[in-house]
Amino acid sequence: MVVDDLKPQVLIIDDEKGLRLGTKRLLESEGFIADVAENGTEGINLARSKPFDLAIIDLKMPDLDGIEVLKEIRKIDPNIVCFIATAYASYETAIESTKLGAYSYIPKPFTPEELLLQLKKGYEKRLLILEAEKLKKEREERLLEIAYEKTRLKTILNSITEGALVVNKTGELVLYNSSALKYLDLHEIFIGDVILEILPPEITEMIKKFIDSNEYIPNSYSTQIELKPNKELIVEATCSPVPHADGSLAGVVTVIRNITEAKKVEDIKSQFVSMVAHELKTPVAAVIGFIKIILDDTFGVKPEQQKDFLNRSYVRLNGLLAMVNDLLDISRMELRKTQREIKELDIAQVLKSTLDFLELELKKKGITANLSIGCSDCHLMADQNEINRLFTNLISNAIKYNKDNGSIDLEIKRSGNYLRIRVSDTGIGLKAEEKAKLFQEFFRVKNDKTRGISGTGLGLSIVKRIVDSYAGKIEVESEFNVGTTFLIFLPIKENGQSSSTQK
Ligand code: ADP
């Protein structure tokens, strides 16, 4: 007989020994694997112990009725193809056994050919059932996989910060994520909604370009849109076509990227560049003016005037050089280019040497400086050059913007986890609106008192950058015409080390 590569497993349950063993021999000679049981209970136990493809169950057995055995076996495996065999065939039992899931009914006595023909058909049925089961299982697994894929896609889509929104070529919403809803301030929209009219007109216009052309052209359109006034939310929306598998247009995907912060930085940068250009232009123009006058014979400039112009040019160029150097310092700090040498510094010592360094300037204005050290340990971990720069800028300002014969008070003490350094002067002071702009690049107070004082307007912005890079803070108190106090807080870690945000 023709059977599958795998040998069919048959269970024969019959109380007639001769028939049982004869059938077993016959089937084994035909390529089956046959197991036998001499009563219903033994048959059920065998069915539990190993898998069978086919079962031949005698209807009349001393312990259990064949119909009962059939029921039990089908409970164990509903896909076993079962035959009921009996010499007492009746129409009713035939109906009942097929109702209970028997595949067929074999009347006894049967010839080997009759039996083999039935078993062959039954085995084909069994293979069909198994194949159908396999397909069903695969389909279920695939469905599960699709469902899982969908949830995963949704989770991924919702976790990206870019907004994504897909419409089909009739403008109906096909897919979106939560970021898109947030940026576009859309509530209550559903898949299938026609949304072109409720999108920002710039996006609708780009989507329509694709929909109107009704063919797939692999181009993208991109535009920047201010979605909230006062530059509160600026996005870059990019629309690209989505193709069908056959290459025709399926829809349009819009990706929305929040560029508010990048725009702000860009604005600050271009403002800074224009400020720098403006600041550099003034001294250069002045020097060119002086040289032009000297060179132009028609002005008939006398030698002592020439010297005056050259002196003034020298001062201007010195100022320009100082500004370029300050700008270079700022740029190095921004680019994190300078290599820091972090070591333990005695801040009291730093203040003392800064005063020594500025002694000449102090003397010129007759200013007295007092240093009060209110901590037993005034050390912290920092870069010597940066800390020198920080206090040189502050103390030289306290001299420059002081009154003649004024004074400067310096004080160091611990304040919680910080070293607090106070720099107070008895100088010209600041008005509230001036104080507010103090740390902006190029900001300089312009009044009668500051007229003759040279500077770049970058010193305090450098101070701020240094303090920030050590995760410190600055406070300013000032009274116009009375004096100004800067309070610098530099953090000290518990083990006595300061922390730094720049490596
Ligand atoms: P500058 O090179 O002009 O001194 P800074 O950035 O150091 O630049 O300071 C910016 C401006 O802040 C100064 O031009 C001055 O008008 C004001 N300023 C700074 N320090 C003091 C101070 N101690 N007292 C009064 N005004 C000050």
Side-chain angles (χ1 to χ4, degrees):
M1 110 162 236
V2 184
V3 289
D4 194 72
D5 282 352
L6 283 171
K7 290 184 173 183
Q9 306 257 5
V10 190
L11 173 59
I12 305 158
I13 311 170
D14 204 308
D15 57 336
E16 267 181 66
K17 193 176 176 193
L19 192 130
R20 195 168 67 228
L21 296 178
T23 309
K24 178 175 161 73
R25 261 198 310 278
L26 168 72
L27 294 185
E28 281 174 350
S29 70
E30 289 292 330
F32 289 84
I33 294 173
D35 283 85
V36 288
E38 62 180 35
N39 56 47
T41 316
E42 199 183 309
I44 294 165
N45 287 339
L46 253 177
R48 279 203 188 101
S49 69
K50 60 183 276 196
F52 286 97
D53 297 307
L54 307 164
I56 305 166
I57 308 161
D58 184 25
L59 187 64
K60 294 266 179 267
M61 284 180 289
D63 61 337
L64 283 174
D65 180 51
I67 298 289
E68 283 308 309
V69 179
L70 170 71
K71 273 199 224 164
E72 284 306 308
I73 285 187
R74 287 192 38 89
K75 268 191 220 157
I76 297 165
D77 178 359
N79 295 327
I80 295 183
V81 174
C82 298
F83 296 87
I84 294 291
T86 181
Y88 315 98
S90 77
Y91 182 70
E92 287 75 24
T93 39
I95 299 268
E96 197 191 343
S97 57
T98 41
K99 260 194 199 162
L100 287 170
Y103 172 65
S104 187
Y105 201 81
I106 308 177
K108 283 185 189 176
F110 43 75
T111 64
E113 291 73 28
E114 277 169 355
L115 179 67
L116 290 173
L117 183 71
Q118 285 274 36
L119 289 189
K120 189 188 162 198
K121 278 203 236 155
Y123 188 55
E124 279 165 5
K125 166 84 178 167
R126 163 80 175 168
L127 291 179
L128 281 177
I129 293 172
L130 290 183
E131 184 62 20
E133 279 290 308
K134 197 174 132 206
L135 289 175
K136 191 173 151 210
K137 205 166 158 223
E138 276 174 9
R139 203 178 55 236
E140 276 165 4
E141 274 171 10
R142 181 87 198 106
L143 281 174
L144 256 178
E145 222 172 83
I146 292 171
Y148 175 64
E149 277 298 314
K150 272 193 178 171
T151 339
R152 207 164 58 151
L153 182 69
K154 213 170 162 190
T155 317
I156 293 172
L157 263 180
N158 280 332
S159 65
I160 54 177
T161 43
E162 273 84 14
L165 191 114
V166 183
V167 294
N168 63 16
K169 58 181 183 181
T170 52
E172 289 164 350
L173 184 64
V174 175
L175 191 80
Y176 63 87
N177 69 357
S178 40
S179 298
L181 301 190
K182 190 181 81 191
Y183 293 143
L184 300 173
D185 200 19
L186 292 175
H187 313 277
E188 296 284 307
I189 63 162
F190 301 98
I191 299 293
D193 285 358
V194 178
I195 55 156
L196 289 195
E197 298 314 319
I198 56 168
L199 293 177
E202 297 90 337
I203 295 183
T204 308
E205 200 183 308
M206 290 192 288
I207 295 178
K208 275 192 172 159
K209 279 187 193 167
F210 292 107
I211 293 181
D212 292 347
S213 79
N214 198 22
E215 55 179 325
Y216 174 74
I217 311 158
N219 284 350
S220 293
Y221 296 105
S222 204
T223 191
Q224 291 183 3
I225 312 167
E226 193 174 324
L227 288 179
K228 283 190 192 160
N230 305 322
K231 299 188 175 177
E232 236 181 87
L233 177 63
I234 307 171
V235 299
E236 184 176 67
T238 306
C239 293
S240 316
V242 181
H244 273 304
D246 66 2
S248 63
L249 180 74
V252 182
V253 56
T254 305
V255 174
I256 301 158
R257 198 161 61 90
N258 185 349
I259 54 163
T260 317
E261 279 311 306
K263 273 295 225 189
K264 260 188 209 155
V265 173
E266 215 176 85
D267 280 1
I268 291 170
K269 269 192 197 157
S270 43
Q271 272 171 22
F272 187 71
V273 170
S274 90
M275 264 190 326
V276 170
H278 179 78
E279 293 297 323
L280 296 181
K281 196 179 148 188
T282 317
V284 171
V287 172
I288 289 176
F290 292 135
I291 295 174
K292 211 172 155 195
I293 297 173
I294 296 168
L295 290 177
D296 194 335
D297 291 337
T298 55
F299 285 104
V301 183
K302 297 191 184 101
E304 60 274 21
Q305 276 178 312
Q306 277 189 16
K307 199 166 178 196
D308 177 42
F309 286 148
L310 285 176
N311 262 332
R312 290 210 232 165
S313 300
Y314 177 76
V315 170
R316 288 298 202 141
L317 286 176
N318 259 333
L320 186 60
L321 185 63
M323 191 185 295
V324 169
N325 281 332
D326 281 353
L327 284 170
L328 282 175
D329 278 349
I330 290 179
S331 143
R332 276 190 215 110
M333 279 182 221
E334 293 287 303
L335 296 172
R336 308 264 190 269
K337 250 187 168 175
T338 31
Q339 190 155 19
R340 278 180 156 178
E341 194 190 332
I342 304 289
K343 58 178 185 184
E344 196 174 64
L345 296 180
D346 179 353
I347 300 300
Q349 193 50 50
V350 172
L351 293 181
K352 274 182 206 155
S353 42
T354 310
L355 287 176
D356 289 346
F357 175 70
L358 294 169
E359 200 187 343
L360 196 65
E361 330 291 321
L362 285 164
K363 274 200 179 134
K364 267 194 215 160
K365 283 189 95 165
I367 292 168
T368 38
N370 313 300
L371 171 60
S372 127
I373 300 167
C375 46
S376 53
D377 178 9
C378 307
H379 287 80
L380 50 76
M381 298 295 288
D383 178 273
Q384 176 94 58
N385 287 335
E386 285 176 353
I387 299 299
N388 282 349
R389 182 75 196 262
L390 162 59
F391 291 112
T392 308
N393 282 4
L394 281 178
I395 299 171
S396 72
N397 277 354
I399 301 171
K400 278 200 301 187
Y401 303 106
N402 213 321
K403 291 168 187 156
D404 285 344
N405 305 317
S407 65
I408 299 174
D409 270 336
L410 303 178
E411 182 201 43
I412 324 175
K413 62 177 195 178
R414 280 283 295 248
S415 166
N417 289 329
Y418 293 90
L419 257 195
R420 194 193 81 167
I421 300 103
R422 181 169 64 82
V423 180
S424 301
D425 64 54
T426 52
I428 59 174
L430 293 156
K431 293 180 184 160
E433 64 273 20
E434 294 164 350
K435 199 181 104 176
K437 296 182 191 159
L438 208 54
F439 297 101
Q440 288 176 9
E441 286 91 2
F442 302 113
F443 171 75
R444 302 203 71 213
V445 175
K446 285 185 181 128
N447 59 29
D448 286 350
K449 290 180 175 132
T450 59
R451 186 155 296 136
I453 306 171
S454 65
T456 60
L458 294 170
L460 285 182
S461 113
I462 293 173
V463 164
K464 173 102 175 54
R465 280 179 163 83
I466 296 174
V467 173
D468 284 349
S469 74
Y470 285 92
K473 51 185 182 175
I474 307 182
E475 287 170 10
V476 188
E477 292 154 17
S478 187
E479 200 177 327
F480 189 59
N481 260 334
V482 176
T484 306
T485 293
F486 285 85
L487 292 170
I488 307 291
F489 295 83
L490 294 173
I492 315 166
K493 283 193 179 165
E494 274 316 298
N495 60 6
Q497 296 190 341
S498 76
S499 63
S500 155
T501 55
Q502 188 186 25
K503 286 277 157 253

